């Protein structure tokens, strides 16, 4: 298998606070190959976005990478400083944020925002960048792109703005795109279009995508593989179909059972008892043990085995008759 | 956009009408001018004749209208004390005040913005913290005290700069300027620092807090995520957004600089309209006071009008008549 675009090895992020050190990301390992879409799911505070911010080097202090390695195209990037990291942002790693209404500078024309990004990273002239800006807008499906480059962000709807944001993230042809909840702030009717667009563009260009979301529907629609996060740790990693139809980790199982499906009829939705622990009160052993229906003494003492490759981080994974 | 400007001009005119009413009312509050103008030896006939001659027998509204009519033409009557037309006296004094205010305003805006941006970007740096602490002095010390301290240090102790007056001025016909002589420029330094210091620190602190707020916005994070250089993030993306609220305050403060010139002009015996006004108060020279009031309010209203129009050039969201949608 070819070398992955992004490789995260045993990554931990720490936030020192007055009440001790918080670990929003704790020993996470995964790879993303070229052209692959890896979905990262989990509840709020599970560490999904924090891992994404660590990759692009935008953790807000005092949060910092405390252990592990991040490799991009065979180069280690977690120890890059200031300007060296800045050069990678936008050029090698593109990012799409959650809220398109606030991600664009309201005072600058969208064309200017595209041009400045390209001129920062690519050795091209201004007129060439202007031409490419129109092409980039056409590619994300903005009608009348030649005219619309001169528009300001407030002249676009939410969905259209997210298309502009995607054009901005992709305009310097990065090898990795981190999409942090790209559809959460959008109308349901627009969500599917945006996901389809992101998927198509990345497939065409062979871009690796880290798709962070809490929406299993989005994952099922777009991702190739999925990583389930719980309290900063990886709970389960595997191909989307396997994880959805035959989850091995009790948490993933509970998560799937609590996702409403039309096929399941009008039955009551499943609930996982309790709530995800706060970061300053993660229990010993497996983080999920207080809520787990399959809990045993071992789970309270030893941390669950770490996920490497396709597996669940669980001492007693659910067994399924049909092999996955 | 045109409709907006017309509306703002109409509002400005209304403000000036009201200020005019106050200025006009001053004449009536200080007693009957006839008493002052005619001596002890007067007859009821004299009083009646003069009253008719000056139009004081007319109804209030008519008198107010005539006052406005004259004011618009620059006719504010004759100074009680100097016996010359008020407008001539004002025009003689205005260049001194306007030059002082212009230099102070430019100093305040340039240094205020530059230091504000610096202290916001280097929020935790030592230099930024020193500047912030020192700026408290600028905000809290009264203007006259700063003026006196500067005079003591630079004029009395060091003897580098003059302590009063405008120095040599060059007469350009309708305008006298201190910009063209060395002594004129030297004389400007202390008063303009004194006058502009408060505004400078105010602008600086405002720019800093607005900039810190803007730097937290998503579009700044996104700009960083696109790998833009710090310079572009700070000055192209952040500063422009910072200026939208700051410019309102700058407009008001520039007006305040002209109005507060009174104190600085008194401390430095600066021969401008502020000093003229102080002297006019001492001698109850109502026409001068009324004219000064009108002059200041015209400037205030004018500056605010300019600020409102500037918004259009900075913030595209206000250009409502552009075609929106998608």
């Amino acid at each position: 298998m070819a070398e992955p675009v992004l490789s995260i090895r045993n990554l931990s992020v720490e936030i020192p606070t007055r009440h001790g050190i918080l670990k929003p990301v704790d020993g996470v390992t995964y790879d993303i190959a070229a052209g692959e879409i890896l979905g990262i799911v989990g509840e709020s505070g599970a560490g999904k976005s924090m891992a994404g911010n660590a990759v692009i080097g935008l953790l807000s202090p005092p949060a910092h990478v405390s252990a592990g390695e991040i490799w991009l195209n065979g180069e280690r990037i977690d120890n890059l400083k200031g300007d060296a990291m800045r050069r990678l942002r936008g050029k090698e790693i593109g990012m799409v944020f959650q809220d398109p209404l606030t991600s664009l500078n309201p005072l600058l024309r969208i064309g200017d925002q595209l041009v400045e990004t390209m001129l920062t990273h690519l050795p091209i002239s201004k007129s060439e960048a202007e031409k490419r800006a129109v092409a980039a807008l056409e590619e994300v499906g903005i009608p009348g792109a030649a005219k619309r480059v001169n528009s300001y962000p407030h002249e676009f709807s939410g969905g259209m703005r997210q298309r502009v944001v995607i054009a901005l993230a992709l305009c310097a042809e990065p090898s990795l795109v981190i999409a942090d909840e790209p559809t959460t702030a959008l109308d349901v009717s627009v969500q599917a279009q945006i996901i389809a667009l992101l998927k198509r563009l990345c497939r065409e260009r062979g871009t690796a995508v880290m798709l962070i979301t809490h929406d299993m529907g989005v994952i099922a629609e777009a991702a190739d593989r999925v990583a389930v996060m719980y309290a900063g740790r990886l709970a389960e990693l595997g191909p989307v179909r396997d994880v959805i139809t035959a989850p091995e980790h009790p948490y993933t199982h509970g998560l799937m059972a609590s996702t409403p499906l039309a096929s399941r009829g009008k039955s009551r939705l499943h609930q996982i008892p309790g709530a995800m622990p706060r970061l300053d009160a993660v229990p010993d052993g497996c983080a999920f043990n207080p809520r787990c229906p399959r809990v045993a003494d071992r789970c309270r003492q030893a941390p669950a085995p770490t996920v490497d490759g396709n597996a669940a981080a669980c001492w007693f994974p659910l067994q399924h008759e049909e092999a996955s | 956009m045109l409709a907006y400007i017309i509306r703002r001009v109409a509002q400005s005119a209304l403000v000036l009408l009201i200020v005019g009413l106050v200025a006009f009312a001053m004449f009536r509050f200080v007693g009957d001018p006839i008493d002052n103008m005619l001596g002890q030896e007067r007859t009821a006939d004299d009083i009646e004749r003069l009253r008719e001659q000056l139009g004081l027998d007319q109804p209030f509204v008519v008198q107010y209208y005539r006052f406005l009519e004259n004011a618009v033409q620059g006719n504010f009557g004759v100074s009680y004390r100097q016996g010359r037309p008020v407008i001539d006296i004002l025009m003689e004094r205005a260049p001194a005040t306007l030059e002082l205010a212009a230099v102070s305003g430019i100093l305040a805006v340039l240094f205020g913005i530059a230091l504000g941006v610096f202290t916001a970007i280097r929020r935790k740096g030592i230099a930024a913290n020193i500047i912030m602490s020192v700026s408290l002095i600028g905000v809290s010390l009264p203007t006259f005290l700063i003026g006196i301290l500067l005079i003591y240090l630079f004029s009395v102790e060091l003897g580098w700069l003059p302590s009063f007056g405008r120095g040599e001025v060059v007469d350009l016909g309708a305008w006298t300027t201190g910009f063209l002589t060395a002594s004129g420029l030297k004389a400007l330094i202390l008063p303009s620092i004194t006058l502009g210091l408060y505004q400078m620190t105010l602008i600086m602190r405002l720019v800093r807090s607005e900039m810190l707020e803007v730097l937290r916005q998503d579009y700044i994070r996104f700009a960083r995520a696109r790998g833009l250089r710090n310079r572009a993030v700070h000055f192209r993306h952040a500063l422009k957004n910072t200026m939208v609220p700051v410019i309102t305050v700058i407009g008001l403060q520039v007006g305040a600089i002209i109005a507060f010139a009174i104190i600085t002009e008194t401390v430095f015996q600066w021969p401008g309209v502020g000093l003229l006004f102080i002297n006019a108060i001492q001698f109850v020279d109502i026409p001068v006071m009324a004219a000064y009031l009108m002059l200041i309010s015209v400037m205030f209203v004018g500056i605010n009008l300019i600020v409102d129009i500037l918004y259009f050039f900075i913030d595209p969201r206000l250009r409502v008549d552009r075609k929106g949608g998608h």
Side-chain angles (χ1 to χ4, degrees):
Chain A
M1 194 174 130
E3 187 179 27
V5 172
L6 177 75
S7 178
I8 294 177
R9 301 282 115 202
N10 204 24
L11 179 75
S12 292
V13 173
E14 285 184 357
I15 307 176
T17 69
R18 266 177 298 173
H19 311 292
I21 292 169
L22 305 181
K23 271 198 163 184
V25 179
D26 188 358
V28 169
T29 296
Y30 51 74
D31 293 340
I32 309 180
E36 183 188 37
I37 299 179
L38 176 71
I40 315 272
V41 277
E43 299 166 50
S44 307
K48 322 180 290 279
S49 300
M50 211 47 108
N53 288 338
V55 170
I56 200 166
L58 281 180
L59 287 171
S60 23
H64 63 278
V65 174
S66 58
E69 295 168 6
I70 302 169
W71 295 74
L72 184 73
N73 298 320
E75 274 181 70
R76 193 169 167 187
I77 62 166
D78 58 286
N79 49 10
L80 288 181
K81 294 265 178 281
D83 209 49
M85 191 66 220
R86 198 265 306 156
R87 275 173 223 278
L88 287 182
R89 286 200 286 269
K91 175 85 186 78
E92 291 299 328
I93 311 171
M95 189 147 184
V96 177
F97 285 108
Q98 176 173 347
D99 190 350
L101 300 186
T102 57
S103 338
L104 295 168
N105 189 330
L107 304 188
L108 296 177
R109 295 169 202 274
I110 58 162
D112 293 340
Q113 301 192 42
L114 278 161
V115 167
E116 71 174 346
T117 312
M118 284 186 273
L119 289 182
T120 305
H121 297 296
L122 305 174
I124 54 174
S125 68
K126 189 155 186 222
S127 58
E128 170 68 17
E130 278 161 2
K131 256 182 253 156
R132 287 199 198 179
V134 176
L137 290 181
E138 269 165 6
E139 218 169 353
V140 295
I142 289 185
K147 240 173 118 184
R148 298 295 268 160
V149 284
N150 290 321
S151 301
Y152 289 94
H154 71 275
E155 296 169 272
F156 292 86
S157 65
M160 283 294 154
R161 278 194 232 188
Q162 196 63 309
R163 287 171 191 264
V164 174
V165 170
I166 290 172
L168 275 163
L170 292 175
C171 68
E173 314 236 308
S175 50
L176 170 71
V177 169
I178 301 171
D180 191 352
E181 306 268 11
T183 58
T184 308
L186 298 175
D187 285 348
V188 181
S189 54
V190 182
Q191 283 181 1
Q193 295 174 13
I194 294 294
I195 286 298
L197 172 71
L198 197 61
K199 195 170 166 180
R200 173 173 66 77
L201 290 174
C202 295
R203 289 272 192 271
E204 282 170 11
R205 297 157 183 238
T207 313
V209 180
M210 182 194 277
L211 178 60
I212 299 165
T213 178
H214 60 257
D215 186 342
M216 282 310 291
V218 169
I219 296 285
E221 178 77 28
D224 302 304
R225 286 190 304 143
V226 58
V228 181
M229 286 189 73
Y230 184 80
R233 299 170 198 181
L234 214 50
E236 185 161 358
L237 180 67
V240 168
R241 178 186 291 270
D242 296 355
V243 173
I244 288 179
T245 56
E248 289 180 16
H249 196 288
Y251 173 64
T252 318
H253 181 79
L255 201 61
M256 294 308 149
S258 57
T259 305
L261 289 176
S263 60
R264 223 180 263 146
K266 279 188 187 171
S267 63
R268 242 186 131 73
L269 273 181
H270 173 76
Q271 283 186 359
I272 307 177
M276 196 171 71
R278 290 188 1 204
L279 286 174
D280 56 357
V282 179
D284 290 336
C286 173
F288 189 58
N289 81 60
R291 304 170 71 188
C292 185
R294 299 165 66 87
V295 65
D297 281 348
R298 197 175 182 187
C299 305
R300 298 196 181 90
Q301 286 144 11
T306 45
V307 176
D308 195 2
N310 298 343
C314 184
W315 291 116
F316 309 103
L318 290 109
Q319 303 296 323
H320 297 277
E321 274 98 67
E322 342 154 39
S324 54
Chain B
M1 176 165 175
L2 194 66
Y4 174 83
I5 292 176
I6 291 171
R7 201 164 60 234
R8 291 292 296 121
V9 170
Q11 284 168 354
S12 306
L14 186 68
V15 169
L16 287 179
L17 269 180
I18 294 168
V19 174
L21 189 63
V22 173
F24 173 65
M26 276 202 303
F27 286 96
R28 325 200 102 224
F29 278 126
V30 289
D32 194 341
I34 304 286
D35 272 347
N36 296 329
M37 296 172 88
L38 294 176
Q40 295 286 319
E41 311 279 317
R42 61 187 181 196
T43 62
D45 209 27
D46 289 334
I47 294 174
E48 203 50 47
R49 191 155 12 90
L50 190 60
R51 195 179 293 279
E52 213 169 294
Q53 200 183 326
L54 293 176
L56 294 178
D57 55 342
Q58 304 282 325
F60 178 84
V61 179
V62 174
Q63 288 189 41
Y64 177 45
Y65 175 75
R66 282 177 44 186
F67 169 79
L68 286 179
E69 202 177 47
N70 286 327
V72 168
Q73 294 164 10
N75 181 4
F76 289 95
V78 173
S79 161
Y80 293 167
R81 188 166 155 255
Q82 302 191 29
R84 297 162 54 206
V86 171
I87 191 69
D88 291 353
I89 302 173
L90 273 182
M91 284 303 114
E92 216 172 271
R93 296 290 199 116
T97 296
L98 290 178
E99 283 187 359
L100 176 63
V103 173
S104 306
I106 290 167
L107 282 181
V109 170
L110 285 186
F111 282 93
I113 292 175
L115 290 175
V117 170
F118 175 81
T119 49
I121 294 172
R122 298 275 155 78
R123 189 158 50 103
K124 292 186 175 136
I126 298 168
N129 279 310
I130 292 175
I131 292 170
M132 283 306 288
S133 312
V134 172
S135 76
L136 274 179
I137 299 174
V139 176
S140 50
L141 276 190
T143 310
F144 69 90
L145 192 60
I146 291 170
I148 290 168
L149 287 174
L150 287 176
I151 289 176
Y152 176 74
L153 186 61
F154 291 101
S155 307
V156 179
E157 289 295 320
L158 296 169
W160 290 351
L161 297 166
S163 62
F164 69 92
R166 270 186 98 185
E168 280 173 55
V169 292
V170 177
D171 199 336
L172 300 176
W175 189 275
T176 57
T177 180
F179 287 150
L180 297 176
T181 64
S183 80
L185 287 173
K186 267 170 91 174
L188 260 171
I189 297 174
L190 290 185
S192 56
I193 291 175
T194 306
L195 183 55
L197 194 65
Y198 175 79
Q199 271 70 29
M200 186 196 93
T201 46
L202 198 78
I203 291 170
M204 178 198 125
R205 297 179 80 90
L206 182 73
V207 167
R208 176 180 179 272
S209 62
E210 287 294 337
M211 183 106 173
L212 287 176
E213 183 62 36
V214 168
L215 286 176
R216 274 196 290 272
Q217 300 295 315
D218 277 354
Y219 53 80
I220 297 297
R221 267 182 69 77
F222 190 48
R224 287 196 200 287
R226 284 186 280 141
L228 301 184
R229 291 179 186 89
N230 272 337
R231 191 155 29 96
V233 173
H234 292 149
F235 293 99
R236 192 173 150 84
H237 287 261
L239 184 59
K240 212 174 174 191
N241 280 284
T242 303
M243 289 317 287
V244 177
V246 169
I247 229 169
T248 320
V249 174
I250 287 180
L252 289 173
Q253 290 304 321
V254 168
I257 281 179
I258 295 171
F260 286 135
I262 292 176
I263 297 167
T264 308
E265 288 184 7
T266 309
V267 172
F268 288 93
Q269 288 298 302
W270 190 263
V273 287
L275 198 58
L276 178 75
F277 178 66
I278 291 288
N279 292 333
I281 290 176
Q282 278 165 4
F283 292 96
V284 202
D285 198 342
I286 303 288
V288 173
M289 288 160 67
Y292 176 80
L293 190 63
M294 290 306 292
L295 184 75
I296 294 294
S297 57
V298 166
M299 285 183 186
F300 245 96
V301 168
I303 288 167
N304 274 299
L305 191 62
I306 292 170
V307 164
D308 284 337
I309 293 167
L310 268 185
Y311 282 149
F312 277 99
F313 293 98
I314 290 192
D315 195 340
R317 286 167 293 188
L318 289 174
R319 297 172 210 157
V320 280
D321 55 340
R322 278 182 67 125
K323 219 179 116 231
H326 37 90

